[in-house]
Amino acid sequence: MKQTHSSSFKWFLLGLFLVGLAVFPTITYVSADDAVASGPDPTLQANLKGGNVGSQTDAEVVQREEQAINSEGYSVAEMKQIREAAETHNFQAEVSRMMHIIINSLYSNRDIFLREVISNASDALDKIRFLSLTNSALLGEGDQAKLDIHIKIDKENNILHITDRGIGMTKDDMVKYLGSIAKSGTSDFMKKVSEAGDKASSNLIGQFGVGFYSIFLVADRVTVTSKNNEDDQYVWESNAEGSFTISKDPRGNTLGRGTRISLHLKDDAKEYLETSTIRNLAKKYSEFINFPIYLWETKEVEEEVPVEETKEDKDETEEDKSDEDVDVTEEDDETDDDTPKTQKVKKNVSEWDLLNTVKPIWTRSPKDITEEEYNNFYKAISKDTEDPLTYTHFNAEGEAEFKSILFFPATAPYNVFDPNPDVHRGNFKLFVRRVFITDDFQELVPNYLKFLRGIVDSDDLPLNVSRETLQKHKLLKLIEKKLVRKALAMIQSMFEKEKPEDETEDETEEKVKDPMASNVSEKYRQFWKQYGTNLKLGVMEDQTNKSRLIKLLLFHSSKTDDLASFDDYVGRMKEGQEEIYYLAGQNKDMVQKSPLIEKMLKRGYEVLYMLDPIDEYTLQQVPKVDGKYKLVNLGKEAPSIDDEFKEEEEKEKFLEEEFKPLAEFIKKQLPDKLEKVVISRRLTQSPCALVASSYGYTANMERVMKAQALQAGQRQQHVPKKILEVNPRHPIVREMLRRIEGNDSDETAKITAKVLYETAVLSSGYSIDDTADFASWIHKMMSVNLDIDPNQEVPEAPEPAPKKKKAAEDEEVNIDLEDHNDKDEL
């Protein structure tokens, strides 16, 4: 019975369904006809006007769209309200002209837009912090009281946000600071920027407007939202096309206090949407800002999470348990691990990351900073692996106020004398109010101090300008002057030995009495080994500090194995001596054996040895030491002689007349080489020596000039003639005089004269131009000593006689040829 009823019911439903399909189209058709025939239905018209279901659905969609929050935190409705209520203002300066100034005159690198924005944020934070000193309520409470800067990248919408909790801006502030560059107009602004000495220029350049507008180097539209304690929250917006708009924020006070700048980046500025790019720029330009800078960063991290067992896993586990043997030992129970299973999964975590972790130690008191901190800071800014040789930390006051730390590297850079300014980039870092400006600033120190490393932080320099504009700023000259003085003071502090604490006065007096004792410290000798040539260059370049630099020079000496200063030399002078004697040469051994210093050393005079190629150039700039002691180059003619030598000169004047024929004879033999031949007052053992005229090149100077010409690929300039000094007491010279008295054509005397000249060239430090000619004269001298005619020609070698075997072979060949000819005739 149950099956019969069930079957009947199914057939009933099927029939009902088929009847419905047949009837439904007719019902629809009839309703449509009725509607057309009876005219417009008032209910339908009402629905079409928005009163029924379909219109209600459209309104909900619009409402949802208006409530949608865009990337700047505004809904569509709020943005519509902002633009409808916005006030439009025109820029005071022509925008195109303004952008031309920024791009071509002030900024050569658009990366600095971030520096400018962060700098402005730091200034705003400084202002509210200063005001809060007298009214703490201005800071507010909670997060609002935290003075910091936040940077957030919205890569999806191509927007970069920078937010600070600074003082914020009122509506009037926005019009005043964000709407103008210069009140006097663009042309006056450009004129003042170009005038380096105009004091108003720095104030003008330092206005908020110029630095702020650098953001248009990377953005085509900018939105600024700001809240000041004295006003409501307002929104400023512009695309830099001649005008900007300001309106009250419909959301109310969302910032609490401060400013948020939203940059809608250009298509060619997409690199600033990369976290690594923003991080590097912030660290480069704003690492030492007083306030923390945070970057919103998403990182991929790994963490362990418990593994969730599926139903299949549980069933398998129960089956495994049922299959196990019931008799389980105690050891199995002990090893049974009930610890839940975990697995490592990767997920993205977003958080605020602090960028400026290194604090500017130059803002702290030197008493509170350890040597290790200074060493670590030096290594951080210089990328050096060694600790510095020495350093100084100071605050400069007066016309130019700034803070600075200077370091001397322990080892001189390999490219310290490279004239290319690019290789010295990074040696000095210039900050303005702890904001990094540039490390490509060679004007801070002169060339001879290019090895210096350090930082300068000035509150007086304009912040929003480029390197090119800063070069003309008069404050830089004052900063350079103070840096040089401080660097020289560092060197002078190393120069003198420190007196040991346990040293008695008697021990100090003994050191003073010791004529060979030097007051130069070992640390300074280490410095001199690395940078001595730099100080010699300084004597030539720095006329202002020349006298201070001269005191720091060190040279090899005939009196001691240690390097000696001019003070050391003066302390060892003979009584009545008023001149400092020196001779330049290639090395110490060569100078010590030079005939030019024979009599000076024999009489006990100290001679300084100039072994550096630059030494003679340097001492040409030093006419006197301490304004009293004249420097005398023994490599030149007739040096001024002290009274001891002048007495001898008066006694021996008759020698000039006696040896005048010999002098004329030698000059006649070498007219192209010698300017003149004179009687020497400085030779004791050598027969002769070659010296330069008062304005000629010494042997060392000539050698240096030849090397420079060769390196530059140039021809050597004309070399002046030399002066030959002869020793009237030497046997060779006296014998030559005897030979020419009766016969000035004596061949031996002629040969001797030329050989004497060539040997004088070598012993005096000059180089022989024609070595083959020199060898020829030596051979002639040897011939004379062997009683051989020096002009005798060497006979030619006789031609070798033909070998017999070869002759026989030639004879056989001739016979064969004759036989061959006879056959041809037959």
Side-chain angles (χ1 to χ4, degrees):
M1 285 293 294
K2 288 182 180 179
Q3 290 180 352
T4 305
H5 286 294
S6 176
S7 176
S8 302
F9 183 72
K10 288 179 180 179
W11 282 109
F12 173 74
L13 289 177
L14 179 58
L16 186 61
F17 175 74
L18 294 173
V19 171
L21 287 176
V23 175
F24 181 75
T26 308
I27 294 173
T28 306
Y29 181 77
V30 171
S31 299
D33 286 346
D34 291 344
V36 173
S38 60
D41 184 15
T43 305
L44 179 59
Q45 283 189 331
N47 289 341
L48 291 174
K49 290 180 180 179
N52 217 336
V53 178
S55 59
Q56 286 179 358
T57 303
D58 293 338
E60 289 175 0
V61 171
V62 172
Q63 186 178 4
R64 285 197 302 270
E65 289 177 349
E66 289 180 348
Q67 291 174 350
I69 304 299
N70 68 2
S71 58
E72 295 175 294
Y74 299 103
S75 67
V76 174
E78 288 169 340
M79 288 300 298
K80 183 179 179 182
Q81 185 177 350
I82 288 173
R83 292 190 171 113
E84 288 177 351
E87 299 177 5
T88 301
H89 299 262
N90 292 324
F91 291 111
Q92 288 186 335
E94 182 185 355
V95 174
S96 59
R97 179 64 171 158
M98 176 268 296
M99 291 301 295
H100 177 77
I101 294 173
I102 289 177
I103 295 173
N104 297 314
S105 301
L106 294 181
Y107 301 109
S108 55
N109 179 9
R110 65 179 186 173
D111 287 350
I112 51 80
F113 83 91
L114 188 62
R115 181 193 76 185
E116 298 299 331
V117 174
I118 293 178
S119 300
N120 292 336
S122 177
D123 289 342
L125 291 166
D126 268 327
K127 289 177 182 178
I128 192 64
R129 181 174 61 180
F130 176 77
L131 294 175
S132 68
L133 295 177
T134 55
N135 185 2
S136 59
L138 293 176
L139 282 180
E141 298 178 352
D143 290 341
Q144 187 175 336
K146 296 178 181 178
L147 302 180
D148 50 25
I149 301 169
H150 290 79
I151 304 173
K152 193 169 185 179
I153 298 172
D154 184 358
K155 188 176 292 188
E156 183 179 349
N157 294 288
N158 201 32
I159 300 176
L160 179 65
H161 302 281
I162 300 99
T163 307
D164 68 76
R165 292 193 176 99
I167 192 170
M169 290 179 285
T170 63
K171 178 182 177 181
D172 291 339
D173 290 337
M174 286 184 165
V175 175
K176 179 180 179 181
Y177 295 127
L178 305 186
S180 65
I181 303 174
K183 295 179 180 179
S184 58
T186 312
S187 58
D188 290 341
F189 171 70
M190 191 65 179
K191 180 180 177 182
K192 290 185 178 181
V193 170
S194 62
E195 293 175 359
D198 189 357
K199 184 175 180 180
S201 175
S202 69
N203 296 331
L204 183 64
I205 296 173
Q207 282 188 0
F208 182 84
V210 174
F212 168 77
Y213 271 97
S214 66
I215 59 182
F216 283 107
L217 295 173
V218 298
D220 51 19
R221 184 166 63 89
V222 176
T223 302
V224 179
T225 307
S226 191
K227 172 68 174 71
N228 184 279
N229 288 334
E230 303 297 326
D231 203 348
D232 294 325
Q233 182 167 306
Y234 280 85
V235 179
W236 180 99
E237 192 172 32
S238 177
N239 56 8
E241 292 184 356
S243 65
F244 59 91
T245 61
I246 296 179
S247 62
K248 190 173 181 180
D249 196 330
R251 300 171 303 171
N253 180 12
T254 59
L255 292 176
R257 184 196 64 252
T259 302
R260 183 182 68 187
I261 300 178
S262 301
L263 283 67
H264 299 258
L265 298 177
K266 298 177 181 177
D267 292 336
D268 62 349
K270 295 293 182 63
E271 68 265 26
Y272 300 110
L273 293 173
E274 298 297 329
T275 303
S276 59
T277 302
I278 297 299
R279 171 185 290 278
N280 293 337
L281 289 179
K283 280 184 170 291
K284 177 180 179 181
Y285 290 110
S286 308
E287 185 173 16
F288 300 110
I289 290 288
N290 273 343
F291 304 98
I293 303 172
Y294 294 97
L295 175 64
W296 185 255
E297 191 169 0
T298 302
K299 301 176 182 178
E300 188 178 69
V301 298
E302 280 189 355
E303 66 176 16
E304 288 190 358
V305 296
V307 179
E308 295 182 4
E309 289 188 347
T310 62
K311 184 177 180 182
E312 290 79 2
D313 293 335
K314 290 181 180 180
D315 294 339
E316 290 179 2
T317 304
E318 291 177 359
E319 290 178 2
D320 292 340
K321 287 183 179 180
S322 62
D323 292 340
E324 289 178 354
D325 194 2
V326 180
D327 296 331
V328 180
T329 61
E330 293 181 1
E331 292 181 1
D332 292 337
D333 291 339
E334 290 176 358
T335 58
D336 205 13
D337 189 5
D338 294 333
T339 305
K341 295 181 180 179
T342 61
Q343 63 179 357
K344 290 184 178 180
V345 295
K346 293 182 179 180
K347 68 175 184 178
N348 292 330
V349 176
S350 297
E351 58 185 0
W352 291 109
D353 188 22
L354 181 63
L355 298 182
N356 52 339
T357 55
V358 179
K359 297 303 177 184
I361 66 171
W362 64 83
T363 61
R364 297 159 54 189
S365 170
K367 298 178 181 179
D368 301 331
I369 306 173
T370 65
E371 184 175 356
E372 183 180 2
E373 287 181 290
Y374 280 119
N375 292 342
N376 291 338
F377 180 74
Y378 164 73
K379 292 176 182 177
I381 64 170
S382 68
K383 312 305 179 186
D384 198 350
T385 56
E386 295 181 291
D387 291 337
L389 180 63
T390 187
Y391 58 85
T392 184
H393 182 180
F394 65 96
N395 295 338
E397 298 178 351
E399 292 181 87
E401 296 187 1
F402 61 91
K403 301 177 180 67
S404 179
I405 304 179
L406 303 181
F407 298 93
F408 287 169
T411 304
Y414 72 93
N415 55 4
V416 67
F417 298 114
D418 195 323
N420 184 2
D422 291 337
V423 304
H424 303 291
R425 184 172 185 171
N427 291 1
F428 251 92
K429 300 184 185 299
L430 177 64
F431 292 81
V432 175
R433 296 187 290 279
R434 294 164 303 281
V435 177
F436 174 72
I437 299 299
T438 182
D439 60 359
D440 183 17
F441 221 80
Q442 309 304 320
E443 291 76 11
L444 281 178
V445 290
N447 288 329
Y448 72 95
L449 291 177
K450 291 300 183 188
F451 61 88
L452 270 176
R453 302 287 188 271
I455 66 96
V456 171
D457 187 359
S458 171
D459 289 343
D460 298 331
L461 284 171
L463 179 64
N464 310 333
V465 291
S466 68
R467 172 182 175 276
E468 291 78 10
T469 307
L470 274 176
Q471 284 177 330
K472 303 177 183 178
H473 206 283
K474 66 176 185 177
L475 282 178
L476 282 181
K477 292 295 181 183
L478 298 174
I479 292 175
E480 178 190 355
K481 186 177 179 181
K482 291 189 177 183
L483 287 178
V484 172
R485 286 183 179 178
K486 206 66 183 180
L488 295 181
M490 291 171 66
I491 299 172
Q492 287 175 322
S493 66
M494 287 190 294
F495 186 82
E496 294 186 359
K497 292 179 179 177
E498 294 182 4
K499 179 182 176 182
E501 296 180 359
D502 56 347
E503 183 176 288
T504 63
E505 293 183 3
D506 294 337
E507 290 174 335
T508 305
E509 289 179 2
E510 287 181 9
K511 288 184 178 179
V512 173
K513 292 178 182 178
D514 184 4
M516 294 299 107
S518 176
N519 198 34
V520 181
S521 70
E522 193 60 37
K523 187 173 185 179
Y524 182 77
R525 294 182 187 278
Q526 181 184 352
F527 167 83
W528 179 262
K529 186 178 180 181
Q530 300 293 330
Y531 305 108
T533 304
N534 293 77
L535 298 191
K536 294 172 186 176
L537 284 171
V539 172
M540 293 188 285
E541 296 177 359
D542 192 349
Q543 299 301 313
T544 303
N545 297 292
K546 181 193 291 188
S547 58
R548 299 176 69 183
L549 289 166
I550 290 172
K551 291 281 191 179
L552 300 171
L553 301 180
L554 296 181
F555 304 99
H556 291 274
S557 169
S558 61
K559 288 281 189 181
T560 176
D561 292 333
D562 291 332
L563 295 174
S565 66
F566 283 125
D567 286 342
D568 293 334
Y569 185 100
V570 171
R572 294 192 287 259
M573 273 184 170
K574 295 181 69 173
E575 186 177 351
Q577 181 181 346
E578 295 182 354
E579 294 168 333
I580 297 174
Y581 303 109
Y582 71 91
L583 181 64
Q586 195 166 356
N587 55 65
K588 187 175 181 180
D589 185 59
M590 182 180 293
V591 177
Q592 282 177 326
K593 296 176 181 178
S594 173
L596 302 176
I597 61 174
E598 287 178 351
K599 183 170 281 191
M600 306 302 296
L601 297 181
K602 186 176 181 179
R603 297 297 177 88
Y605 286 89
E606 183 175 3
V607 178
L608 296 178
Y609 301 150
M610 305 295 161
L611 307 182
D612 195 329
I614 199 178
D615 284 344
E616 278 193 281
Y617 289 103
T618 303
L619 296 187
Q620 286 176 359
Q621 308 295 321
V622 187
K624 289 186 178 182
V625 174
D626 293 338
K628 179 180 179 182
Y629 304 104
K630 184 179 179 181
L631 290 168
V632 177
N633 188 345
L634 296 178
K636 294 191 174 183
E637 69 167 322
S640 58
I641 302 295
D642 286 323
D643 294 339
E644 183 179 349
F645 291 93
K646 289 178 181 178
E647 292 178 4
E648 292 183 6
E649 183 181 358
E650 292 296 328
K651 293 178 182 179
E652 298 182 354
K653 270 190 175 181
F654 70 91
L655 292 174
E656 292 183 5
E657 289 297 325
E658 182 181 354
F659 283 86
K660 184 176 181 181
L662 178 62
E664 291 176 350
F665 174 80
I666 297 175
K667 174 72 168 63
K668 185 179 180 181
Q669 304 306 313
L670 299 157
D672 298 332
K673 303 287 186 181
L674 296 176
E675 179 182 333
K676 60 183 176 179
V677 180
V678 299
I679 302 302
S680 177
R681 298 186 298 272
R682 66 175 114 195
L683 298 176
T684 59
Q685 300 298 320
S686 301
C688 58
L690 201 65
V691 297
S693 63
S694 299
Y695 301 100
Y697 300 143
T698 64
N700 186 66
M701 184 71 78
E702 192 173 294
R703 177 178 61 86
V704 172
M705 293 186 66
K706 283 182 178 180
Q708 290 177 338
L710 181 63
Q711 185 177 9
Q714 300 173 350
R715 290 186 60 187
Q716 186 182 356
Q717 296 179 355
H718 172 70
V719 179
K721 296 179 181 180
K722 307 296 187 299
I723 298 172
L724 183 68
E725 292 187 4
V726 294
N727 183 359
R729 296 178 181 82
H730 199 278
I732 296 177
V733 177
R734 301 194 70 83
E735 176 61 21
M736 287 184 64
L737 177 62
R738 187 189 66 79
R739 282 178 175 271
I740 66 168
E741 281 180 345
N743 181 16
D744 60 357
S745 61
D746 185 83
E747 193 65 28
T748 302
K750 290 180 180 180
I751 295 172
T752 305
K754 292 184 178 179
V755 172
L756 274 178
Y757 168 78
E758 299 288 0
T759 55
V761 169
L762 289 174
S763 63
S764 301
Y766 290 94
S767 59
I768 295 177
D769 296 329
D770 191 343
T771 55
D773 186 56
F774 173 64
S776 175
W777 287 111
I778 294 294
H779 295 153
K780 288 182 179 181
M781 178 61 70
M782 294 171 66
S783 299
V784 170
N785 290 335
L786 297 172
D787 293 330
I788 302 172
D789 183 2
N791 297 319
Q792 180 179 341
E793 294 183 1
V794 179
E796 295 182 3
E799 294 182 3
K803 295 181 180 180
K804 293 181 179 180
K805 183 179 179 182
K806 181 70 173 174
E809 290 176 355
D810 292 341
E811 186 176 352
E812 291 177 2
V813 171
N814 291 332
I815 293 172
D816 291 340
L817 289 173
E818 289 176 1
D819 293 343
H820 183 71
N821 293 333
D822 293 341
K823 290 178 181 179
D824 289 342
E825 290 176 0
L826 292 174

